[in-house]
Structures are given as structure tokens and as C-alpha cells.
Amino acid sequence: MPTTASETSPHRPDYKQLLQDVDAFAIAEVDPRVEHMESSPHAVEHALAQLMAQQGWYGVTIPRAYGGMHAGHLAKTLMIQRIAKSSGAASAILQASQLPVSMIIHFGRDEQKALLLPQVACGKVLLSIAVTDSKSGGHVLGMQTTAHHDGDDWIIDGSKLYIGNSHLAHVHCVVARTAPAGITGSRTLTAFLVERDRPGLTVEPHRPALGLHGFSFGRLTFDGVRIPSANVIGDVGSGKDIAYSSSILYGRPNLAAVSLGLHEAIVETTVDYLRTTKRPGGLLSEQPVLRDRLGRMVARLRAARDLAHRAADMLDQGQACDIDLINSKNKGHEWAVKSGQDAMEMHGARALETDYPLQRLWRDAQCIYAPAGTGEIQRLRLAASALDESPVEWSTQLALKTSLFRGSVYR
Ligand SMILES: Cc1cc2nc3c(=O)[nH]c(=O)nc-3n(C[C@H](O)[C@H](O)[C@H](O)COP(=O)(O)OP(=O)(O)OC[C@H]3O[C@@H](n4cnc5c(N)ncnc54)[C@H](O)[C@@H]3O)c2cc1C
């Protein structure tokens, strides 16, 4: 955990207590469900999502003025990390509905904040963020889901794919193209709040994936879905800024935390196996080659932890840290997958048994490459930063206003 000048700040949350609470929850509620979730890839885990809602955890970054925990980004990271150590799917559920809070806090109108944030904070309403289009993937500006004016309303048509908590969210924060066909540029998109019971919105049946069993990241189909103008988030044309800033300020640290929790579990599982497995030459933990590989895993884990915690802490401090957030997701995932592969090989055939946790951790880690920007996208941003071509610094432009320690408009 970082030690900074503000360690003694009265605003610094009680991380020790938070970790104790999350740890106790993981042992009591998450661990006993893992086996069932793994063996039911066709099912969505509603009960656990509800239990986490009752803890108020979806509102971890919501200011106290709106009933939230106002505990900040490092607290969010620690929470997701600990849940991921028990279950990648449970942590994916948690982070997917924490993420859209960014859209409301930074861009929502006063009435939207007053209405939605307290309901998210008390766990009554779960949000999703629906940006990825079925036809354009990670190319946000190329999306083909449209919204056009009809009197005072907007009509949305199209489809969104791989939407985290598609089957759990009560309100989807949807980004759609509002500029007429043929117009290009950064002001072509707009964000909308779309309640799940709006006529014309279909949540397509849940399909099992390689990993994260119990987490739904499915397809939303919009067929003439009518939305009042009051549901527009921010200004018409600001959808790209809303999508990008949410992905950087919340998405990347959230996914870095999921990778980190999985990575911890991978290392612990491997240590346990090496220590307890005897071969004619002695315990596997005594083999120099395996000790070397374990040492590399530990080095990666420690570096990933430093990156993720430092970036989240910088965000809480109101410092410029977009690149740190991007890098923590990029390296955090890369290193977790590398350690996962090492662990699989060091376990021999034991790794392949489906009742052994390692293959679940390995599969779950693969699922963290794409969300909140693939490795290619992260590296493009890192290169742009080195070439002094970085666009807006969202951490100082937006997050400073909700920082725990500096410049916050909330107390
Ligand atoms: C577990 C999970 C949860 C998710 N949750 C959400 C969510 O809550 N909300 C949401 O909106 N989306 C979500 N997504 C979708 C995710 O954001 C997309 O998968 C991601 O943006 C990439 O899109 P794609 O999978 O269609 O890949 P594509 O965009 O088709 O990319 C395919 C490959 O091409 C590369 N590529 C594409 N464009 C470029 C480029 N310009 N330069 C270099 N390389 C490029 C990619 O890096 C990748 O390697 C989730 C995905 C997963 C797996």
C-alpha cells in the first residue's frame, strides 16, 4: 500500500477495515459459490451481485453527499483485487457496475446525479456501460448504433456487444452515434441513460464464454427504443469524451485490479503445489529450475501490484496519471497471463484437471485482454505519450474534482 504525504489525511479511508470486510465477505460469500459458478457457465450469478450491492460497494467512489462510500480509487482497486483472488467472475461483476459511475459523476446533470447516485450507492440500481458496437468493436468512433431526434425524444437503433453486466443492470449507459450519416469527427457521439424496461430494448440470451463463468457480457439490441431528452448524459456530441474518460479513469484501473487478484491466486496456488508435491528428487519446491520460474512470477506480481496501487493512489491524489492507469492495465494483464502460463507448465498434467483452480484462473485471465482497451490500444497510447502526442489528461481535467485529497467539489 502506498505511503504518501497524505497518509495521515483525515480524508484517507480506513483501508485496513475495508480489507478486513472484503476478505470476510470473500471467504463467506464468494468462495463457497465458485465451484457452482464454474460448473454452470450458462447461468448468470444474480445472488452474489445482489449481496455486493447490499454492501454498498458499487458506490465506493460515490461522494458521501449522494450516500456513497466516498472511499476513492485505491479502495476500489483493493476491493476488486481481493474479490478477484477468490473469483474473477465475481470481481468482473463488481467492477462492471462500478465503472459507469464515472459517466454520471463527471458528466451527469444535477438531476441525474440526485436521482441515480443514491440508488447505486444503496445497491438498488446497477448500471452498465454500453459502448462496444457489434460491428465496430474497439473502434469507438466507427460505431453504427444510432440515436436520432423525434420531437423531444431520441430513438435508438442498433446493437451493443460484450456489455459487462448486460443481464444484471437496471440502467444501461449507452453511447450512440447522433451525427447524421457521413459526418465524421469527435463530436458525433452522445451518451444516454436507457432503463432496461424500455420497449424495443432486448437483452439477448446469455452465452457462456471461455472464462468468468457467472459474469454476463452479452448483447443489447435496440429496435426503435424511445428515450426522453432528460436521459442524455452531458452534452449532445460529448459521447466520445464520456466513453474515453470513463475507460481511462475507471475501466483501466478496474481491469488492472482484476488481473492483480487473479495473479495473486495464480502465485499462491503454485507455491502450494510446489511445496506439497514430492517427486523422486525431493519436493518440487527444491528444484532450482522451478524456483527460478517462481521467482520470476513473484517479481511480476510485485511489479504489477506497485503499478496498480500507485496509479489508483495518484488518481485519489488528483495527480496527472492517465498513462500510469493505462500502463497498469497493460502490464498487469500481460504479467498475469505470463505467470498463468508458467504456473500451468509447472503443474504438469495436474493443471488440466477441471476441479483444480489453476485452469479457471488461467481462463479468467485471458478474458481481461480486451475490456477497457486491448494491449494494442494501450501501447498506442503509451507511444503517443512518449511522442508528446497525448490527447486530454482526464485525470486532471475530471478526476481532480472528485479527488479524495485535493480540489474535490465533494466532501
Ligand atoms: C470480459 C469483457 C468485458 C467487457 N465489458 C464491456 C463493457 O462493459 N462495455 C463495453 O462497451 N464493452 C465491453 N467489452 C468489450 C471490449 O471493450 C472490446 O472487446 C474491445 O473494445 C475490443 O473490441 P473487439 O473485441 O471487437 O476487438 P476488435 O476491435 O475487433 O480488435 C481485434 C484486434 O485488432 C486490434 N485492433 C483493433 N483496432 C486497432 C487499431 N486501431 N490499432 C491497432 N490494433 C487494433 C485489437 O487490439 C485486437 O487485437 C468487454 C469485453 C470483455 C471481453
Side-chain angles (χ1 to χ4, degrees):
M1 208 160 306
T3 310
T4 66
S6 62
E7 190 76 62
T8 55
S9 160
H11 303 297
R12 186 166 276 278
D14 186 348
Y15 296 116
K16 204 170 156 203
Q17 183 61 55
L18 178 87
L19 272 176
Q20 274 174 13
D21 293 348
V22 181
D23 192 55
F25 181 91
I27 292 166
E29 304 292 353
V30 184
D31 291 345
R33 285 180 161 82
V34 169
E35 201 182 314
H36 176 71
M37 285 164 72
E38 269 317 285
S39 57
S40 327
H42 289 272
V44 177
E45 181 52 51
H46 288 260
L48 199 47
Q50 206 46 48
L51 285 172
M52 292 192 285
Q54 284 163 15
Q55 307 299 313
W57 289 347
Y58 297 106
V60 61
T61 58
I62 293 180
R64 261 187 291 277
Y66 293 106
M69 290 171 70
H70 196 43
H73 294 275
L74 180 56
K76 173 158 64 57
T77 288
L78 295 170
M79 186 184 273
I80 298 170
Q81 174 188 339
R82 174 60 192 92
I83 297 296
K85 196 172 157 196
S86 285
S87 160
S91 72
I93 292 172
L94 179 60
Q95 71 79 31
S97 285
Q98 289 172 331
L99 202 169
V101 164
S102 172
M103 291 177 140
I104 316 291
I105 286 188
H106 296 132
F107 292 92
R109 296 151 200 229
D110 288 346
E111 316 84 72
Q112 291 170 342
K113 288 183 191 169
L115 180 72
L116 269 179
L117 293 179
Q119 297 195 69
V120 173
C122 75
K124 218 169 133 187
V125 165
L126 262 65
L127 302 174
S128 86
I129 179 167
V131 175
T132 306
D133 231 64
S134 52
K135 295 204 176 90
S136 58
H139 181 42
V140 173
L141 283 176
M143 71 172 58
Q144 294 179 30
T145 295
T146 60
H148 68 270
H149 254 311
D150 184 40
D152 278 347
D153 296 339
W154 291 86
I155 309 290
I156 305 183
D157 287 287
S159 81
K160 295 287 174 185
L161 195 54
Y162 310 129
I163 304 311
N165 285 348
S166 45
H167 290 66
L168 296 176
H170 304 89
V171 179
H172 304 286
C173 301
V174 179
V175 178
R177 182 179 168 81
T178 42
I183 305 280
T184 55
S186 62
R187 307 290 299 171
T188 51
L189 310 178
T190 301
F192 299 87
L193 294 167
V194 182
E195 298 87 348
R196 71 174 174 195
D197 54 0
R198 290 262 165 202
L201 170 60
T202 308
V203 182
E204 304 295 346
H206 173 64
R207 295 175 56 186
L210 172 73
L212 301 178
H213 294 170
F215 174 57
S216 60
F217 50 115
R219 183 189 287 264
L220 307 178
T221 304
F222 300 82
D223 184 8
V225 179
R226 182 174 287 275
I227 302 295
S229 290
N231 281 27
V232 171
I233 307 173
D235 297 329
V236 172
S238 62
K240 182 193 136 208
D241 288 352
I242 295 178
Y244 280 20
S245 61
S246 302
S247 177
I248 290 183
L249 299 177
Y250 276 60
R252 301 197 189 183
N254 286 9
L255 276 311
V258 175
S259 290
L260 190 52
L262 291 170
H263 202 161
E264 285 182 331
I266 286 167
V267 171
E268 280 189 15
T269 305
T270 307
V271 166
D272 200 42
Y273 184 71
L274 297 182
R275 261 206 196 124
T276 53
T277 308
K278 265 195 173 158
R279 291 292 178 259
L283 284 169
L284 288 182
S285 59
E286 292 160 358
Q287 295 291 335
V289 175
L290 297 183
R291 290 176 77 95
D292 175 71
R293 288 186 90 169
L294 178 62
R296 288 169 195 263
M297 290 167 69
V298 173
R300 279 184 222 112
L301 173 60
R302 294 183 69 92
R305 195 183 288 142
D306 286 350
L307 284 187
H309 288 186
R310 181 167 167 274
D313 193 51
M314 287 173 80
L315 201 48
D316 282 336
Q317 305 281 347
Q319 296 170 6
C321 59
D322 286 26
I323 287 303
D324 303 271
L325 296 166
I326 288 168
N327 199 34
S328 70
K329 196 265 166 169
N330 178 46
K331 296 309 284 184
H333 172 266
E334 183 186 316
W335 287 334
V337 167
K338 179 83 184 75
S339 291
Q341 186 62 30
D342 275 342
M344 292 289 284
E345 291 168 12
M346 290 159 75
H347 275 74
R350 178 76 171 108
L352 309 176
E353 292 173 17
T354 52
D355 63 349
Y356 190 64
L358 189 61
Q359 47 79 38
R360 166 175 59 83
L361 301 170
W362 184 88
R363 283 186 287 104
D364 286 355
Q366 306 298 323
C367 299
I368 309 306
Y369 185 73
T374 61
E376 283 81 10
I377 300 301
Q378 316 293 354
R379 289 189 290 278
L380 284 173
R381 282 295 312 275
L382 290 164
S385 146
L387 295 164
D388 283 334
E389 295 165 358
S390 279
V392 196
E393 185 78 37
W394 294 114
S395 40
T396 44
Q397 187 156 114
L398 295 177
L400 182 58
K401 293 188 195 134
T402 54
S403 144
L404 286 185
F405 308 113
R406 286 177 48 205
S408 175
V409 295
Y410 303 106
R411 287 290 172 214

